[in-house]
Structure formats: C-alpha cells, structure tokens
Amino acid sequence: MRFTTSLALVLPLLAAAEQQIPLVDKLQGWFDRAKSYIPTGASSPVDAGASKIAEYAVTRLSLDNWKSVLVPSASAASKGPEEWMVFVTGGNKTCYGLCGTAEKAWNQSVAYLSSQPSAPHLAIVDCETQQVLCNSWAAGPLSIMHVLLPQPLPDQSKPATTVRYIGLNRTSTTAADITKIHTEKTYTKVAPYEGVWHPFNGPLQQFMVATPVGYVIWFFNVMPSWLFMVAISFFSRSFM
C-alpha cells in the first residue's frame, strides 16, 4: 500500500521533469541511444539516414550559384529578415581530416531544423572544393555562417545583411549545439561581422574584387614554395 502511494506521488514528478527537458536535448539523446545499439565498427544507419536527409534539405553553395541562392524569397516579404544557416566545412587539406564529428552533428541537426515551423534555410559550402569562395569570404572550417537577409525596402533599396561566423569545436560539437543556434537564438551571443570581407556589404564585394582576391589567395596557397622563391630571386636580380 505504501509502495502504491509512493508511486502515485512520484509519477507526476517524473512526467513534469520530462516536460522540462528541451526537445533539442531529447533529439541528441535519441541519436545517441540509437547509435548505442550499433556494434562498434559498423556503419551507423542513423548517420547514413541523417546524411541522406541532408542531401535533400541542404543547398550546396559554389562560386557560381551562391549569389543567386542567398537572396530573400518573395514568400518571406512580410515576415522580416530571412534566416540562413550555412555550414562551412572542408576536407583533408582545409580541415586536416578533422571535420567528421561536426559533419555528423550537422547532418543530424538538419532533420530537426527542417521540421520547425520557422525553419531556417540550410546550406553548405565545402572549402576543399570551393577554396576561392571561402577565400573571398575569409571563411574557413569549421563554422556556421549565420545570415539574416533583409527584404528590399519600398524604394527597392536593400538594408545591410547581418552575418555572424559561429565557430564549431572539431571534437565535441553536437547536433544540439547546432540546433540551438536557431531554436534558442544562441547566434545573438556572437557579434555581427562588419569587416572588409563581409560577403554582402563589405568593400571587396561592393567594388567587385572579392572573387579576384579569392583567386589570388588560392594561387599563393597552391603555388609550390620553391616557385615562390624562384620568382623572388628573379625579380630581385631584375632590379639589381
């Protein structure tokens, strides 16, 4: 009898505690629980499924399409700035092969973010294959580029676009960390970027030299060091 009475008192408390757990943390718990049933060394169907969802829900940005993709849509004209989350990743050369943990977390967060009523637009840029684009933004892995695209004013002028670069830890980033950028607006803890490399309003973009500068940086990155030394030697002898 005492056990029944105690159980009746405890169950409402457990239910109340369950309601206090943020859904984002539950999401991470579900992923961790599902992965715990996968034998060590086996390919996780959870990660595979999340990756497949990300392929369809995330727009892949390139030097050729980013200006036509990152524009406010007509459907958001009366809703204020349009939110974008751009995952900046890389490969062996640009991320030293350490992007795997964050990429899994990103893929897992996409399913939850896409289901939100006020879901942000999601995109990804791979600095391994899009080095010129990343150079023109002065962006690199691992990070989330959070963008608030304003709607044009009645006179067709466009207010400044708000951009924030949110760094991600290479070893400990979770899906919950990425999801909270939108659901809990943790991006507000990061100051907006207003420097010369601003992808939309910076001087390099306004004078249309961001892409050429990106190519110059790319050239010096891929140029062998010995060729650089030969060039310096050649020019120094020319002036002598």
Side-chain angles (χ1 to χ4, degrees):
M1 185 69 179
R2 291 181 179 179
F3 175 77
T4 305
T5 303
S6 301
L7 184 62
L9 294 173
V10 170
L11 285 177
L13 295 176
L14 292 175
E18 175 70 15
Q19 294 176 358
Q20 298 302 315
I21 301 176
L23 188 55
V24 175
D25 295 329
K26 290 182 183 179
L27 174 69
Q28 184 65 37
W30 292 335
F31 277 117
D32 293 340
R33 187 178 303 175
K35 292 169 68 175
S36 68
Y37 294 106
I38 308 299
T40 303
S43 177
S44 170
V46 175
D47 292 336
S51 179
K52 184 61 64 175
I53 293 174
E55 288 182 15
Y56 293 98
V58 178
T59 302
R60 189 166 290 273
L61 299 181
S62 69
L63 187 64
D64 297 325
N65 74 357
W66 78 271
K67 289 185 178 180
S68 61
V69 173
L70 297 181
V71 293
S73 61
S75 60
S78 60
K79 300 178 182 179
E82 192 165 303
E83 184 179 8
W84 280 82
M85 289 175 61
V86 181
F87 178 54
V88 183
T89 185
N92 291 329
K93 294 181 179 179
T94 52
C95 202
Y96 308 103
L98 300 175
C99 287
T101 299
E103 286 180 352
K104 289 181 180 179
W106 166 258
N107 291 336
Q108 291 171 2
S109 70
V110 166
Y112 180 77
L113 289 170
S114 301
S115 67
Q116 294 296 294
S118 59
H121 296 276
L122 303 174
I124 183 172
V125 57
D126 185 351
C127 290
E128 192 81 1
T129 58
Q130 297 296 325
Q131 295 184 34
V132 175
L133 177 59
C134 291
N135 291 337
S136 69
W137 291 351
L142 284 158
S143 62
I144 297 288
M145 186 174 79
H146 185 273
V147 182
L148 293 176
L149 289 173
Q151 294 295 326
L153 298 175
D155 60 0
Q156 297 305 309
S157 62
K158 185 180 178 181
T161 299
T162 303
V163 174
R164 292 177 170 88
Y165 291 104
I166 304 170
L168 301 177
N169 190 287
R170 293 180 175 179
T171 59
S172 62
T173 296
T174 64
D177 295 331
I178 296 175
T179 305
K180 288 177 182 178
I181 294 175
H182 168 72
T183 58
E184 298 184 10
K185 300 185 183 301
T186 58
Y187 66 83
T188 58
K189 298 178 182 179
V190 178
Y193 177 73
E194 299 177 348
V196 297
W197 299 96
H198 193 291
F200 300 91
N201 310 122
L204 296 180
Q205 288 292 341
Q206 292 178 351
F207 291 103
M208 296 182 291
V209 295
T211 298
V213 170
Y215 272 109
V216 171
I217 297 174
W218 168 81
F219 175 77
F220 280 104
N221 286 337
V222 300
M223 183 177 65
S225 57
W226 61 266
L227 181 59
F228 182 70
M229 297 302 296
V230 169
I232 292 178
S233 176
F234 174 79
F235 282 110
S236 63
R237 291 181 181 180
S238 298
F239 285 106
M240 291 177 64

